[in-house]
Amino acid sequence: MTITTDQPVIETGTTTTDSGAPMPRRWIGLIAILAATLLNLLDATIVNVAAPAIRGDIGGSAATVQWLSAGYTLAMAIGLLTGGRLGDMFGRRRVLLIGLSGFLITSVLCGVAGSIDMLLAGRVAQGLFAAVMVPQCFGLIRDLFGREFGKAYAAFGPMIGIATIAGPIVAGLLIDADVLGTGWRSIFLMNLPLGAVALALAVWTLPAAAPLPGLTLDLRGAVVAGLGMGMLLYPLVEGREAGWPWWMVATLIASIPVLGLFVLDQVRRARDGRVVLIEMSVFAKRSYTSGIGFVTVFFGGVGGFSLAVGLFLQLGLGYGALRASLTMAPWAVGAFLGSGVSAGLAPKLGRKVLHLGLAGMLIGLVALFAQFGGDGAPTPAALAPALLAYGLGMGMIFVPLFGIIVGELQDHEIGSASGMLESFQQGAAALGVAVLGTVFFSGFALGDGPEVALTAIRSVTGVAIALTAVSFAVVFGLPKQGAAQAH
């Protein structure tokens, strides 16, 4: 799931083109941008419900189930480091069309995959094309709406909530319906009609801005960053099943100096006046480093807990995909409602809305922890209030979060800082899937009964409580107001 950054809303007159005439069809163009964004949001969540069905059809280990989610988010995290720069170099409209077309092609590859290895490769490719596609959306909104972009940008909060609801439920419905015998494959093939509409509208309405001259890419930095993240995540996902051989432990340890080498290289390139992937100057501000810490802990907990609950319901309790998605629906409904509540409260409360949201999440998690420790497996009705509270709190954080994190940055720093936050968010989600997935499968083996699954999910919930509590403490290091109020 990719969250976007709140921006200052500057009210002006009519949006105009360079010639002074109103930008034509800008609201239709916004539909194309929202459709492209929705594709990414859906594909970041649907696999959590579909993973058991996929494994039952084409095989794979417990680690494979984790890679179906982590592979996508890790690839996107790495690709985001250069995705935004591609739009500046070659034109946002052109790069968006390339990213969207590639996303649809890789969706087909996922939908027709005959083996788990082919599917995992397709998921990684999907993540890379999403990283090319998504960063162009926000720049194109500025191109379409000019200084009125805040009005269009307001549509992204509800979009996050809609995708949170639609992803798991639609996945469950499609798998259960088994349309034309496609089963789980339909969750990838459904991207085609939505993507085709987005492509047609994008070609028709989006402005073809000229690329900026003289820009280059730091490909070496992207490779080193990707290598370091891969060395970190691979042992975390595969280590338990492989029995932690020495070379895997060594790989995990070696990831630290590799990532350190990447940071040193970025510092050296910035000092020499060359292109960098990460603008290191923003790390000198405590508010931003606190934001990086919050994003890492918060999205790591949310991403890992979401996957673990889906696995618990299906592998542990034997729920089908549809029943599992409907059981998790209160969580999604809460996220939708929470995003709407925070949109109204954030301008007045600032970072306090994050504390309110985290408090709601903690209430839900503690209630779930108690449910998982009772006699027998809890029913969907018994889980609903706790999942609703967790989702409500989570949704309250999504809309204002990134705007609060960049609240004390200068205007010229926000673009680079926002891109880094999105990359850290995706990397944290992949790391959370690896860590919390490993916690779950350390206590539960495929084929174990509900009692064992309850013990495993209770352990995961305990870790999620700890991560949420840490997130609550880190919020005190964030700016008191978001970017729209701080400037």
Side-chain angles (χ1 to χ4, degrees), residues 155-305:
F156 275 89
M159 179 63 65
I160 294 169
I162 291 171
T164 305
I165 293 174
I169 294 178
V170 169
L173 289 171
L174 288 174
I175 295 170
D176 189 70
D178 194 22
V179 179
L180 300 177
T182 53
W184 61 266
R185 300 177 187 276
S186 59
I187 68 171
F188 298 110
L189 299 177
M190 75 172 183
N191 290 339
L192 297 182
L194 179 60
V197 171
L199 270 176
L201 293 180
V203 171
W204 180 39
T205 62
L206 297 182
L212 300 176
L215 296 180
T216 59
L217 286 176
D218 178 15
L219 292 178
R220 183 180 67 183
V223 170
V224 175
L227 178 63
M229 285 297 295
M231 292 171 65
L232 174 65
L233 285 180
Y234 182 81
L236 290 175
V237 174
E238 298 283 351
R240 183 192 59 81
E241 286 195 359
W244 288 104
W246 69 266
W247 62 268
M248 199 170 285
V249 176
T251 300
L252 179 62
I253 296 173
S255 69
I256 298 174
V258 171
L259 291 172
L261 179 64
F262 166 73
V263 172
L264 291 176
D265 181 65
Q266 294 297 291
V267 172
R268 183 169 57 251
R269 291 179 69 90
R271 186 178 59 242
D272 297 340
R274 292 182 290 166
V275 173
V276 294
L277 289 176
I278 294 180
E279 186 59 57
M280 303 302 294
S281 64
V282 296
F283 289 97
K285 300 187 177 181
R286 184 176 65 89
S287 60
Y288 188 76
T289 55
S290 296
I292 292 292
F294 181 89
V295 164
T296 302
V297 177
F298 175 78
F299 284 103
V302 169
F305 187 65

Side-chain angles (χ1 to χ4, degrees), residues 23 35-36 88 98 101 170 176 191 196 201 267 325 345 366 380 435 451:
M23 178 70 73
D88 295 334
I98 293 173
S101 299
V170 169
D176 189 70
N191 290 339
L201 293 180
V267 172
S325 64
L345 292 179
V366 171
V435 173
E451 296 80 8

Side-chain angles (χ1 to χ4, degrees), residues 122-143:
R123 286 290 286 170
V124 170
Q126 266 192 317
L128 290 174
F129 278 111
V132 172
M133 173 178 67
V134 169
Q136 318 314 322
C137 295
F138 315 121
L140 283 166
I141 288 178
R142 287 177 178 268
D143 294 341

Side-chain angles (χ1 to χ4, degrees), residues 330-396:
W331 178 346
V333 172
F336 178 72
L337 296 175
S339 66
V341 170
S342 67
L345 292 179
K348 299 178 181 179
L349 298 181
R351 75 181 185 192
K352 291 180 181 178
V353 77
L354 302 183
H355 276 141
L356 288 175
L358 289 165
M361 292 174 65
L362 282 170
I363 291 171
L365 286 170
V366 171
L368 287 171
F369 189 82
Q371 290 275 1
F372 296 144
D375 295 330
T379 65
L383 293 173
L387 291 174
L388 180 67
Y390 182 82
L392 186 66
M394 185 180 73
M396 291 180 68

